[in-house]
Amino acid sequence: MLFRSTDRSCKVAVSCTSTGAVGICRGLNNENRLALNYVSHLQKLKIGDKLISSGEGEIFPQGFGVGEVNEFTSDGMYYRAYAKPLIDVTSLKYCYLIDSNIG
């Protein structure tokens, strides 16, 4: 699931583990950088905060590690924020897919 999170067409609803801020993590077609969109300026962000899937998007279940906030600035009503993926997707050799309809 994390490999796909670097794809520009992939959007994952996320929450920050320590501050509780919520937003949408979007791939940038770059294996080292993700965009964190729609984080209200009223929420608190922190460098180093881990991003986990919130389960709100109905594609990614709650609790999958996505990234770590490494840059943000205030940009009006929202933050302009970026994260580094939690894993180096270029080092992946195998990917297992599990059908959610089994069982």
Side-chain angles (χ1 to χ4, degrees):
M1 295 233 183
L2 291 175
F3 181 78
R4 183 142 158 63
S5 70
T6 60
D7 184 333
R8 182 179 295 267
S9 65
C10 184
K11 296 167 184 71
V12 180
V14 296
S15 62
C16 297
T17 57
S18 70
T19 64
V22 296
I24 305 293
C25 200
R26 179 177 58 86
L28 295 172
N29 289 347
N30 178 333
E31 53 274 329
N32 296 313
R33 190 167 166 97
L34 304 168
L36 180 56
N37 302 124
Y38 306 109
V39 180
S40 168
H41 72 287
L42 299 174
Q43 298 184 85
K44 185 176 180 176
L45 276 182
K46 185 174 86 173
I47 298 293
D49 205 355
K50 302 287 190 281
L51 301 173
I52 60 168
S53 59
S54 65
E56 298 295 319
E58 299 181 11
I59 301 293
F60 290 84
Q62 182 179 13
F64 276 97
V66 177
E68 182 177 301
V69 177
N70 63 1
E71 176 186 342
F72 67 89
T73 59
S74 182
D75 189 19
M77 296 293 288
Y78 296 100
Y79 285 108
R80 181 180 304 266
Y82 298 94
K84 179 180 179 185
L86 284 182
I87 63 167
D88 176 6
V89 295
T90 62
S91 68
L92 292 178
K93 293 182 182 179
Y94 302 99
C95 177
Y96 292 100
L97 301 177
I98 301 171
D99 187 346
S100 63
N101 294 323
I102 293 176

